[in-house]
Amino acid sequence: MKPQAPNLSIPASPSGLELNWKTSVLCSQGIIEAYTSYLPVTSRTPIVTLSEGNTPLIPMPHLSSLIGRGVKVMIKYDGLNPTGSFKDRGMTMAISKAKEEGASAVICASTGNTSAAAAAYATRAGIKAFVIIPQSKVALGKLAQALLYGGEVIGIDGNFDQALTIVRELGERYPITVVNSVNPYRLEGQKTAAFEIVDLMGDAPDYLFIPVGNGGNISAYWMGFCEYHQEGRCKRLPKMMGFQAAGSAPLVVGKPVLDPETLATAIRIGNPANWEKATAVKDASGGEFNAVTDQEILAAYRILANKEGIFCEPASAASVAGLLKYSDKVANEATVVCVLTGNGLKDPDSAIAFSANEFKKGIAPSLDAVAHVMGF
Ligand code: F0G
């Protein structure tokens, strides 16, 4: 006898709300559903979600052994979000609130990841997304995403800081909602990554190592840890260790960088919009801002991939580069979480250009030739 097909019909909705069939079908929750009581949403907020969040906290045995002294290193792999970066946590909030407020269009400046997330969540909400990007400095995968999700992609012959200045002014002049991290809902959503870490570990780590560009994410994590701490969900607060690329390190040099440069294009930012917030976080947590060179970023990028099996984008590897460079700042037996903000597939050009591995090609299509190359 044939097995019975499962009943896939969508039950009639008791309340008549759109999408409420979800209540009778098991689906993954997004961060708004998982942490509703911590977020500025109400029953009237239409939740625009792609089931973001709940990303893995992964132990890093090789990195831990490199540091030694009983230090336990983990990564928060936020590159496993639906569009491949931590931006999805903030964007589910920003777009849900924009939709609630009746916006018909949103806009962002972006080094790439925000543009991908904005385009995806706006599409999901039936809202138009304009994304302004530095046209020659956005990784291929991110551009591909923004275009395919249906964003209106506008490239400027300038850098991210210039794009953000234009976007903020457009937001003041025209009926369009800015969804960069100057939008407070973005940080509210992003703080849920800290909740997830504490929910798993049972406490906050001793240190959080994190790449810093505009300074939004480090501020969001701190907000999350502090909210949980106030409720007694964690006993300690981590030292927040922020890392910028050496050619784009305004928070380290203490003044804006007019012509930021780094191959970690996601954090190629010379004048962070959340400068004061991020500095206050560093000070309040007893943390530090430091710079890592492109060579150090690439070394960490390669170690993560070929020793730990983790493929992140170069900007994300800045957190691990920072840990390797400044490991003497970490106490014996401490727990360290390094945030990996974006997926390696975002930037295939960098992966191929900077892999230490060799692509053996041009081999004759014969068993003997292939076996010979294999070393048999
Ligand atoms: N890592 C990645 C992969 C990023 O894309 C960004 C920022 C950061 C780190 C830095 O985070 O700005 O909150 O300090 N990307 C923005 C964008 C600027 O447009 O996608 P931050």
Side-chain angles (χ1 to χ4, degrees), residues 28-42 47 49 51-56 76 78 81 89-90 92-93 185 187-202 221 223-225 227-228 231 233:
S28 305
Q29 286 190 324
I31 58 120
I32 298 179
E33 292 151 301
Y35 295 106
T36 311
S37 62
Y38 293 89
L39 294 168
V41 289
T42 68
I47 299 175
T49 179
S51 303
E52 60 295 312
N54 195 22
T55 56
K76 177 66 172 161
D78 244 5
N81 273 300
R89 296 178 183 277
T92 182
M93 274 299 304
Y185 298 123
L187 301 195
E188 290 286 341
Q190 286 171 215
K191 77 185 178 190
T192 58
F195 294 164
E196 290 174 10
I197 291 174
V198 175
D199 286 345
L200 267 176
M201 288 179 61
Y221 266 89
M223 182 159 56
F225 287 125
E227 286 181 19
Y228 257 23
E231 290 205 340
R233 286 182 171 254

Side-chain angles (χ1 to χ4, degrees), residues 109-191:
S110 181
T111 57
N113 282 324
T114 302
S115 70
Y121 283 82
T123 280
R124 187 88 183 172
I127 293 177
K128 189 161 190 65
F130 293 91
V131 307
I132 318 294
I133 58 173
Q135 62 189 25
S136 56
K137 296 289 181 180
V138 166
L140 197 63
K142 304 175 189 180
L143 179 60
Q145 287 180 290
L147 288 169
L148 195 68
Y149 288 137
E152 191 74 45
V153 183
I154 300 170
I156 61 161
D157 187 11
N159 61 32
F160 170 83
D161 304 295
Q162 293 166 310
L164 185 57
T165 304
I166 295 167
V167 161
R168 292 176 86 157
E169 210 162 312
L170 286 169
E172 278 167 25
R173 260 196 227 177
Y174 300 102
I176 190 162
T177 304
V178 176
V179 292
N180 279 102
S181 57
V182 292
N183 177 324
Y185 298 123
R186 278 276 312 277
L187 301 195
E188 290 286 341
Q190 286 171 215
K191 77 185 178 190

Side-chain angles (χ1 to χ4, degrees), residues 85-87 111-113 137 139 142 209-214 217 242-246 248 262-269 292-294 296-298 300-301 304 311-322 338-344 346-347 350-351 354:
S85 87
F86 71 99
K87 306 287 182 180
T111 57
N113 282 324
K137 296 289 181 180
K142 304 175 189 180
F209 280 63
I210 183 167
V212 174
N214 239 347
N217 209 27
F243 294 90
Q244 299 203 287
S248 308
T262 171
L263 58 81
T265 51
I267 52 172
R268 188 174 171 272
I269 295 174
V292 283
T293 65
D294 281 2
E296 290 161 346
I297 288 173
L298 288 180
Y301 177 63
L304 277 163
F311 189 22
C312 66
E313 64 171 290
S316 301
S319 60
V320 171
C338 295
V339 181
L340 295 191
T341 44
N343 197 299
K346 294 271 190 177
D347 190 355
S350 289
F354 303 119

